[in-house]
Amino acid sequence: MDLGAAFVVGDMGNPVSELANRANAERVAFPLEESSEDLILNKKGKPTSKFFHSRMIKKVTIANGLGTDLRNLNINHLTQNIGKGKSSSYFGYTGKELVFTKGYAEILPTLQTGYEIRLNSTATQIKHTKSGVEIIFTDGSSSTFDAVLVTVPLGVLKEKKITFSPSLSNERTQAIDRMGMGTVDKIFLFFDEVFWQDVPWIYTTYNSGLPTGQFNMWLNQHKATGAKVLCAFNPGEAALDLATKSDKEVIQKALRVLELAYQA
């Protein structure tokens, strides 16, 4: 089971799908957005109407998709893009949304070639030289390549942990300054028995006594992969608040929401 990335967001023309096909990796169709099968439970443990909570579901879905609270987003942009179609087309690909039943690790063998993986090697500088592109590491060592593809997190670029020579263009540095990174924490709860309904997503309403966004959206891993697991998504400030809590406190909060929803 993947604790990080789990979905293929749009399988048409997606290079991940091509790798998965080569690996014969098992995938199942699974909706990223709300569907007619989804269940909404109030604090009394009773299913409630989507009609009365459609706004809540949309807010929770968008916040989890982008990792921040709605007030930090360009609502007009969201309306023009996500609001008019499936999230897969918003992210650049169309087609089905899929889950790897055995995890993304299945595609790794298709990438095996003559590359070398270096652990504990932190790059501090990347510069063009007459012989190629040189990467300089924290221990003073360096390596030179014909080309370098930089895929570090946005936060590393914002904090200027890596310097470039020549410097990045104004256009790129302005884009780095302008962009933000969202935060989404997943909490996986493993159970001995499945007590929840056979639906893709379970939503719990805001009246749990917790901050908005905490444990309102649950992925049914049993439907996706067969595991007896519920995965809670917590975005933005809800996730940052949980980061200050101990594992025991986080689990207690999660279980309390489920106890309310299922009247345990």
Side-chain angles (χ1 to χ4, degrees):
M1 179 185 300
D2 281 309
L3 301 185
F7 287 93
V8 178
V9 187
D11 65 336
M12 300 297 292
N14 192 323
V16 173
S17 286
E18 295 176 17
L19 293 173
N21 290 338
R22 267 193 264 163
N24 292 319
E26 184 180 4
R27 290 147 285 170
V28 294
F30 202 89
L32 261 179
E33 295 186 340
E34 66 268 20
S35 72
S36 59
E37 292 185 78
D38 296 335
L39 181 71
I40 309 164
L41 296 174
N42 63 24
K43 68 175 182 179
K44 295 182 179 179
K46 295 181 179 179
T48 184
S49 170
K50 261 194 172 185
F51 176 79
F52 294 109
H53 294 283
S54 60
R55 181 178 175 83
M56 183 273 287
I57 292 176
K58 183 60 69 176
K59 286 174 66 176
V60 169
T61 303
I62 292 174
N64 276 290
L66 299 177
T68 189
D69 301 290
L70 293 191
R71 64 176 176 272
N72 299 324
L73 301 172
N74 184 325
I75 298 301
N76 290 332
H77 181 69
L78 289 173
T79 301
Q80 293 168 9
N81 290 279
I82 296 179
K84 291 185 177 179
K86 299 295 284 182
S87 59
S88 56
S89 60
Y90 177 72
F91 288 110
Y93 300 106
T94 57
K96 297 177 181 178
E97 291 150 349
L98 306 172
V99 174
F100 286 99
T101 58
K102 298 178 182 177
Y104 258 82
E106 280 204 292
I107 70 173
L108 292 180
T110 67
L111 301 172
Q112 288 180 351
T113 181
Y115 56 74
E116 174 189 358
I117 297 176
R118 299 185 188 179
L119 302 178
N120 302 313
S121 301
T122 305
T124 59
Q125 187 176 0
I126 300 174
K127 63 180 182 179
H128 284 271
T129 67
K130 291 182 179 179
S131 56
V133 184
E134 183 181 16
I135 301 179
I136 300 173
F137 302 98
T138 49
D139 63 1
S141 63
S142 65
S143 297
T144 300
F145 304 92
D146 295 330
V148 170
L149 179 65
V150 180
T151 61
V152 297
L154 178 62
V156 173
L157 299 177
K158 280 182 170 292
E159 294 295 321
K160 298 179 173 57
K161 296 295 185 181
I162 299 175
T163 59
F164 295 86
S165 178
S167 301
L168 297 177
S169 66
N170 287 335
E171 181 183 24
R172 284 183 170 81
T173 54
Q174 288 171 7
I176 290 169
D177 291 340
R178 221 171 31 241
M179 294 172 66
M181 285 289 288
T183 301
V184 177
D185 279 349
K186 296 180 182 180
I187 311 296
F188 291 82
L189 298 179
F190 292 72
F191 295 93
D192 293 330
E193 300 295 335
V194 175
F195 58 84
W196 55 91
Q197 293 83 352
D198 186 33
V199 296
W201 295 95
I202 298 169
Y203 296 87
T204 50
T205 54
Y206 288 157
N207 46 16
S208 64
L210 296 177
T212 299
Q214 279 189 7
F215 304 107
N216 295 131
M217 184 175 178
W218 300 80
L219 170 63
N220 179 6
Q221 289 280 359
H222 188 259
K223 189 173 183 66
T225 67
K228 298 174 183 178
V229 174
L230 284 175
C231 172
F233 283 67
N234 299 284
E237 291 182 10
L240 297 176
D241 177 70
L242 288 175
T244 66
K245 306 294 190 293
S246 68
D247 287 352
K248 183 178 180 179
E249 289 177 293
V250 171
I251 293 171
Q252 286 175 339
K253 288 176 181 289
L255 291 178
R256 179 57 181 157
V257 172
L258 290 176
E259 286 169 359
L260 287 170
Y262 288 96
Q263 296 292 286

